[in-house]
Amino acid sequence: MLTMKDIVREGHPALREKSAEVEIPIREEDKTTALALLEYVKNSQDPDIGPKFGLRPGIGLAAPQIGVTKRMIAVHVEGEDGELYSCAVINPKITSHSVQMTYLESGEGCLSVDRDVPGYVPRYAKLTVKGYSPDGEPVEFKLKGMPAIVFQHEIDHLDGIMFYDRINKENPFQPPAAVPFGR
Ligand code: SB7
Ligand code: NI
């Protein structure tokens, strides 16, 4: 099981690399990695397991964050209508997105960043993501709200992009031409 000691922090080159596509059919080793990412996000939100192992809660995790530069992510997050997005996605790809942007009013954080970086992170308000499940089944997600924001944060990791790269340098709280989301 993955713990905080497996998560690489700022300064590690994996966070700035462009991750490689995972070969299809998916190898057992890659499937295991994808499922480990998902297990971490679930464990980290479990009221017993999280504190017991000192896991910082995370609603998503990307393979480069454990030093594996392959295109794999996991999310465990609830949508606006209470639907749960709990999945590992291999080779996730944004196939379409809204013109409209959104941002989290509370800003974003990252398990690989041990400091607060305040500011709004502009994200697409809606998007479609295609990819593969760990079992090799093609999957497609139509996303809005928090799940949309998390998927974009994770897919950014696969391209070596950190959330703060997208914050306005001059005025971090300059509301982007966007509809805010969250409290
Ligand atoms: C706030 C938090 C996350 C995504 C979007 C908004 C995830 C934080 C955990 N991660 O570092 C995952 O990469
Ligand atoms: Ni992150």
Side-chain angles (χ1 to χ4, degrees):
M1 115 180 219
L2 296 173
T3 64
M4 287 309 290
K5 69 170 170 29
D6 298 300
I7 295 181
V8 305
R9 311 300 159 89
E10 284 178 287
H12 193 290
L15 295 174
R16 287 309 193 178
E17 265 176 48
K18 186 167 170 65
S19 288
E21 294 273 331
V22 173
E23 257 182 69
I24 308 291
I26 297 159
R27 298 166 58 194
E28 204 57 39
E29 183 195 337
D30 292 331
K31 176 178 173 173
T32 301
T33 303
L35 292 177
L37 296 174
L38 179 58
E39 187 194 34
Y40 177 90
V41 287
K42 285 188 195 172
N43 283 345
S44 78
Q45 294 181 47
D46 184 294
D48 299 315
I49 303 173
K52 182 169 171 199
F53 294 96
L55 308 180
R56 193 177 142 195
I59 48 184
L61 189 63
Q65 293 184 275
I66 58 165
V68 177
T69 50
K70 292 183 178 183
R71 303 187 78 83
M72 295 186 271
I73 65 170
V75 302
H76 186 78
V77 62
E78 227 178 82
E80 272 161 287
D81 312 320
E83 68 294 23
L84 182 65
Y85 292 85
S86 183
C87 51
V89 186
I90 289 170
N91 295 341
K93 191 172 160 28
I94 298 174
T95 55
S96 72
H97 64 78
S98 58
V99 171
Q100 186 169 76
M101 306 293 283
T102 188
Y103 59 94
L104 208 53
E105 286 193 299
S106 51
E108 295 187 16
C110 182
L111 293 173
S112 298
V113 179
D114 292 324
R115 60 196 171 101
D116 239 40
V117 188
Y120 297 144
V121 183
R123 301 290 188 189
Y124 301 128
K126 294 181 180 176
L127 71 161
T128 303
V129 173
K130 289 187 183 178
Y132 292 88
S133 77
D135 287 322
E137 294 297 325
V139 289
E140 181 183 293
F141 303 92
K142 298 211 182 286
L143 306 163
K144 58 178 162 53
M146 201 57 198
I149 292 171
V150 182
F151 269 79
Q152 289 172 81
H153 177 117
E154 305 315 330
I155 293 170
D156 267 355
H157 277 305
L158 306 181
D159 294 319
I161 299 167
M162 301 295 283
F163 72 93
Y164 47 76
D165 298 343
R166 299 192 182 278
I167 297 175
N168 184 310
K169 297 282 171 309
E170 282 71 49
N171 184 0
F173 291 102
Q174 173 76 50
V179 180
F181 182 81
R183 60 239 97 140

